[in-house]
Amino acid sequence: MTMGTSGDGPRPRYLPIADHGLIGDLRTTALVGVNGTIDWYCCPDFDSPSVFAALLDSDLGGSFELAADGPARTKQFYFPDTNVLITRFYADDGVGEIQDFMPVAGQSPESDRHRLIRRVTCVRGSLPFRARVAPRFEYGTQPHTLRFSEGQALFESPSLTLALSATVPMEADGSDVWSEFKLHEGECAVFALDRVGEGVAPRSCVRTEAEAQFVATVDFWRRWLSASRYRGRWREMVHRSALVLKLLTYAPTGGIVAAPTTSLPEEIGGERNWDYRYVWVRDAAFCVYALLRLGFTDEAEAFMRFLTANVCTCSSSASGPLQIMYGIDGRGDLPERRLDHLDGYEGSCPVRVGNAAVGQLQLDIYGALVDAIYLYDKWGKPISSDSWDYVNTLVDWVCDNWDQPDEGIWETRGGRKDFLFSRLMCWVAIERAIRLANHRGLPADLPRWQRARDTIYQQIMRRGWSPKLQAFAQHLDGEVLDASVLMMPLAKFVSPTDPKWLSTLAALGDRLVSDSLVYRYDPEASPDGLSGTEGTFSICSFWYVEALARAGRLDEARLAFEKMLTYANHVGLFAEEIGHTGEQRGNFPQAFTHLALISAAFNLDRALG
């Protein structure tokens, strides 16, 4: 739970990034602040233009405010084992709560409704409430009209129409809607916001229907989570992370977005603001690994369908048969543009839509993807002959192209280098394919693959090791540390107790670790083409935990893991980074962080016995 305030004195223009919970319907999501305001919502899909984006501009972005009308303390939590979010208001005269959720409609026509339900209840005493619904379409650039029809408010813009129904009176204020009402103990009010048009007719949401959809939504999430095989020490945090990864899944295609937001800054006032509402091959492949570990095979199968339908059919480009990312519908064109009319979170501009990194060469994605396919074949279902043909295509390409500089896992914009992590993951791609071929008796040019695998291994051991650092370095023949090398024992490239690895682990601990928090690298020692600083990278912090555990340093690993959990927000969510004073930074919540938490918990549990 969290503390928060509402109604006592002037409200801050921006809530801290961490002061939000997430709801969604497997097509899009909404962020709900501890003050009851929805300040981020894109409709109908993750990467659609925003309807509410006050998180990126408190004046122009639009929001859906709903709160106790007067001084109140707030707490927020999830209905157990679900993605139904509850925000409670504690005032002098009573206690009230908002239940926020989005029904998951499956593949029925109702899935296009994208209903967002806000159910307000007074649980003790009596409490006045206020609501204000102020959509701003197309990132605040598209005007809309408001009209009332059959008790509903219709917000109509050229590209999208939303219908708001409520069980309390609503009034117009220009093109916005507001309502003030009072509830007594046991009384309830319902607001429902629907996408309408294109075959979806406006439909009111009475209390009985809201109750039925609440029950159905709770049942959906609990049934899904019941498939988890995790019974370890950190069940609540692991299951919350799994629920986050499921929320970031786009059901129509099986793609998994890196995060549901764009341009939340890595540094307040800085330029490191990116759009993460796309399917990164690396992130999604790692998600598949984490979910398979817990026993969720359907998501892995859905991602395999995403690959088959979208990725496997693409022709090769200068960066090979794979792009580093795709749209949630599988499209490969993601042009980046700036929304200069938006101030950005706390004045952090530019706000970006699209991602220019789509054209980068990042060789590590081949290892991440082939490893995920290998694990799906091992823990899910045997892959098809067509899938194996595609693996052959990928690995043959890697054998021909691994020995070249690239932009690397961190998508630096400071020029290509011979990154060790990229070489490592090329080795993984070939090594896992060899395992798969041997296990299944599948056809492959094994002598060629083995020669390439061994050549990569020898190059990493010879040129990736820095005698000066007494550690494996960021890039070949380099003298800069990089936390991505923490994957070396995790990927089974090197023994976790190899003397060279233990020396590397010690060097990382001395120079990049700050009280369990791990920096990716030192931007001053290794310029990345961007100004400003960044916080510690949470996926690296969980990799560090896992590396400590595999090295037998279990007490340190467990303490570091427990410390990392204290940086989660009040409902167990993590952004991409953690700032100097413990604040969440970057897009939120971040799939990378939550999948790494799952992996670290699983392996630490196994090591502890």
Side-chain angles (χ1 to χ4, degrees):
M1 288 193 182
T2 187
M3 67 299 141
T5 59
S6 173
D8 39 356
R11 291 178 296 147
R13 291 185 67 209
Y14 296 94
L15 283 178
I17 291 171
D19 280 5
H20 293 85
L22 187 73
I23 60 172
D25 64 356
L26 306 186
R27 285 163 175 78
T28 188
T29 57
L31 285 177
V32 186
V34 295
N35 58 0
T37 295
I38 295 177
D39 54 12
W40 180 253
Y41 175 54
C42 297
C43 185
D45 300 317
F46 286 108
D47 59 356
S48 297
S50 63
V51 173
F52 303 130
L55 194 60
L56 295 180
D57 192 308
S58 60
D59 296 324
L60 301 180
S63 64
F64 188 154
E65 299 177 15
L66 181 57
D69 192 6
R73 294 174 295 109
T74 66
K75 292 186 177 181
Q76 195 177 65
F77 62 100
Y78 279 108
F79 201 79
D81 295 335
T82 76
N83 280 315
V84 174
L85 190 68
I86 298 176
T87 307
R88 305 201 101 193
F89 296 85
Y90 299 83
D92 291 341
D93 296 327
V95 178
E97 69 180 34
I98 305 169
Q99 298 165 352
D100 284 307
F101 62 98
M102 297 178 70
V104 182
Q107 299 300 323
S108 71
E110 278 297 293
S111 64
D112 291 329
R113 185 173 294 277
H114 299 286
R115 172 163 277 184
L116 197 163
I117 295 179
R118 314 201 71 186
R119 194 164 68 158
V120 193
T121 305
C122 182
V123 295
R124 298 186 66 181
S126 62
L127 209 56
F129 289 89
R130 55 176 166 76
R132 185 175 190 87
V133 185
R136 299 292 182 265
F137 296 90
E138 290 279 335
Y139 305 108
T141 63
Q142 201 172 78
H144 71 273
T145 59
L146 170 68
R147 65 183 175 90
F148 286 87
S149 174
E150 298 180 358
Q152 292 186 294
L154 294 172
F155 303 97
E156 296 171 316
S157 78
S159 60
L160 184 68
T161 297
L162 298 178
L164 176 69
S165 62
T167 59
V168 293
M170 298 183 289
E171 296 190 38
D173 179 10
S175 58
D176 302 334
V177 166
W178 64 276
S179 178
E180 292 180 349
F181 55 98
K182 189 170 187 176
L183 298 178
H184 298 279
E185 191 166 322
E187 292 181 337
C188 171
V190 174
F191 293 84
L193 187 67
D194 294 349
R195 178 219 187 190
V196 296
E198 299 182 19
V200 180
R203 193 182 78 219
S204 62
C205 184
V206 295
R207 293 180 181 85
T208 51
E209 183 175 355
E211 172 64 22
Q213 293 196 312
F214 174 84
V215 171
T217 304
V218 167
D219 180 62
F220 170 85
W221 289 113
R222 288 184 168 171
R223 269 189 295 110
W224 180 80
L225 192 61
S226 68
S228 170
R229 295 199 299 257
Y230 181 77
R231 300 292 182 269
R233 295 165 176 81
W234 298 283
R235 189 173 176 181
E236 185 174 346
M237 289 298 294
V238 166
H239 281 175
R240 177 51 52 199
S241 291
L243 284 163
V244 170
L245 296 185
K246 181 65 173 176
L247 267 183
L248 300 183
T249 302
Y250 185 63
T253 65
I256 305 170
V257 298
T261 57
T262 179
S263 301
L264 292 181
E266 298 175 19
E267 177 189 30
I268 299 299
E271 67 167 337
R272 297 169 184 258
N273 318 317
W274 315 108
D275 192 350
Y276 277 12
R277 298 172 297 159
Y278 306 113
V279 182
W280 265 256
V281 169
R282 175 194 310 108
D283 301 42
F286 284 173
C287 284
V288 166
Y289 162 78
L291 291 170
L292 281 171
R293 266 293 185 210
L294 300 180
F296 297 107
T297 56
D298 288 349
E299 286 66 34
E301 187 172 347
F303 183 62
M304 291 297 293
R305 288 198 301 271
F306 176 87
L307 293 174
T308 301
N310 302 297
V311 179
C312 300
T313 58
C314 295
S315 58
S316 286
S317 66
S319 59
L322 277 182
Q323 289 186 182
I324 69 165
M325 72 181 92
Y326 297 85
I328 54 175
D329 56 358
R331 71 189 187 280
D333 189 25
L334 305 172
E336 181 175 302
R337 60 191 175 96
R338 294 163 56 131
L339 304 181
D340 290 330
H341 65 284
L342 296 178
D343 278 349
Y345 177 82
E346 294 278 13
S348 304
C349 55
V351 172
R352 292 181 172 94
V353 171
N355 202 302
V358 67
Q360 287 190 354
L361 176 65
Q362 297 178 18
L363 293 167
D364 67 282
I365 61 176
Y366 293 90
L369 181 57
V370 175
D371 194 33
I373 294 172
Y374 164 77
L375 293 172
Y376 175 71
D377 183 87
K378 181 179 180 181
W379 294 333
K381 295 180 180 178
I383 65 169
S384 67
S385 56
D386 286 344
S387 294
W388 178 245
D389 289 344
Y390 185 61
V391 170
N392 264 278
T393 299
L394 294 179
V395 176
D396 284 342
W397 188 89
V398 170
C399 287
D400 289 334
N401 292 277
W402 63 266
D403 193 12
Q404 61 176 309
D406 69 345
E407 276 87 5
I409 180 177
W410 306 132
E411 294 177 7
T412 60
R413 300 195 177 190
R416 294 181 176 182
K417 295 178 182 177
D418 290 306
F419 288 106
L420 186 149
F421 183 80
S422 298
R423 297 293 200 277
L424 167 69
M425 296 306 287
C426 286
W427 177 90
V428 168
I430 302 169
E431 198 274 339
R432 299 303 190 268
I434 291 172
R435 281 198 208 187
L436 188 51
N438 286 330
H439 174 67
R440 292 272 307 277
L442 296 169
D445 189 352
L446 289 177
R448 179 182 182 228
W449 288 7
Q450 289 165 344
R451 285 195 302 273
R453 177 198 63 186
D454 295 347
T455 302
I456 297 171
Y457 178 90
Q458 291 160 359
Q459 186 189 79
I460 290 174
M461 298 305 288
R462 187 177 69 254
R463 296 178 56 197
W465 173 259
S466 165
K468 179 178 179 180
L469 294 175
Q470 285 295 293
F472 290 104
Q474 181 187 66
H475 51 85
L476 302 184
D477 306 316
E479 294 180 352
V480 176
L481 285 172
D482 191 303
S484 65
V485 302
L486 286 164
M487 276 293 291
M488 295 179 77
L490 277 55
K492 298 182 171 59
F493 176 88
V494 68
S495 163
T497 55
D498 184 288
K500 282 189 173 180
W501 172 249
L502 293 178
S503 177
T504 301
L505 190 58
L508 292 168
D510 288 342
R511 303 185 194 185
L512 293 183
V513 179
S514 172
D515 188 43
S516 85
L517 300 174
V518 181
Y519 291 93
R520 293 189 294 183
Y521 51 83
D522 180 353
E524 293 185 5
S526 178
D528 56 15
L530 297 165
S531 63
T533 61
E534 62 178 19
T536 56
F537 229 68
S538 292
I539 188 174
C540 300
S541 301
F542 286 119
W543 284 348
Y544 183 62
V545 168
E546 202 166 333
L548 288 173
R550 289 173 185 251
R553 294 162 60 178
L554 292 182
D555 286 344
E556 293 173 74
R558 185 168 187 177
L559 180 60
F561 187 73
E562 295 286 1
K563 284 182 176 181
M564 272 303 298
L565 297 186
T566 68
Y567 290 105
N569 84 338
H570 56 287
V571 288
L573 307 185
F574 284 91
E576 184 175 36
E577 300 181 14
I578 295 170
H580 295 299
T581 56
E583 73 278 10
Q584 301 277 354
R585 284 186 177 185
N587 284 309
F588 176 87
Q590 174 85 353
F592 233 175
T593 307
H594 286 279
L595 65 89
L597 184 156
I598 291 171
S599 182
F602 186 93
N603 286 291
L604 184 54
D605 259 319
R606 188 167 59 179
L608 289 168

